[in-house]
Amino acid sequence: MGDADARARVLQMVDEYLADAPARISVMIPWGLVMNGEIERGLLTFADHPTSNDGAFPGDVVFTGLVPAVWTSPAFPEFLRKTGLAAYWDEFGAPEQCRKAANGDYRCE
């Protein structure tokens, strides 16, 4: 967030952090990616890495609509499947802003 130079520095720091392959990552990594316009990367980074606070990312970024581009991202259905949210929604129901599409993917608006 901020100017292009600040954004480039943030993304470089994220790359360096992830290159160390930590067992758990800070939830701020996927959150920071999403907030810096790296929607797909942020969603899949969260889905592929345990975080220090798994509830914070879906709660803040996915369910609130804070970043509407998350819901329209091509990575959103994969994120829901990988995190188990799609299966959970199948069993218990999706949030009111989300519906299951004919192709089986959830869409939120």
Side-chain angles (χ1 to χ4, degrees):
M1 304 182 310
D3 64 31
D5 288 337
R7 183 178 181 276
R9 284 192 307 274
V10 166
L11 295 176
Q12 180 181 354
M13 289 188 310
V14 167
D15 290 339
E16 291 170 1
Y17 177 85
L18 292 174
D20 286 339
R24 287 198 171 283
I25 65 171
S26 168
V27 76
M28 295 309 295
I29 297 299
W31 193 88
L33 287 166
V34 166
M35 297 307 288
N36 277 286
E38 298 284 325
I39 306 293
E40 288 80 14
R41 187 171 175 212
L43 289 172
L44 297 179
T45 296
F46 180 86
D48 291 338
H49 297 85
T51 71
S52 56
N53 185 353
D54 285 346
F57 185 78
D60 290 346
V61 176
V62 176
F63 299 123
T64 64
L66 177 66
V67 182
V70 165
W71 291 343
T72 58
S73 166
F76 188 62
E78 183 178 356
F79 164 81
L80 293 176
R81 284 189 297 275
K82 282 185 165 187
T83 59
L85 285 169
Y88 182 86
W89 291 355
D90 285 345
E91 186 170 347
F92 298 105
E96 65 183 43
Q97 71 270 23
C98 303
R99 302 282 181 271
K100 194 167 193 174
N103 69 356
D105 290 339
Y106 281 93
R107 301 282 181 225
C108 302
E109 48 186 55

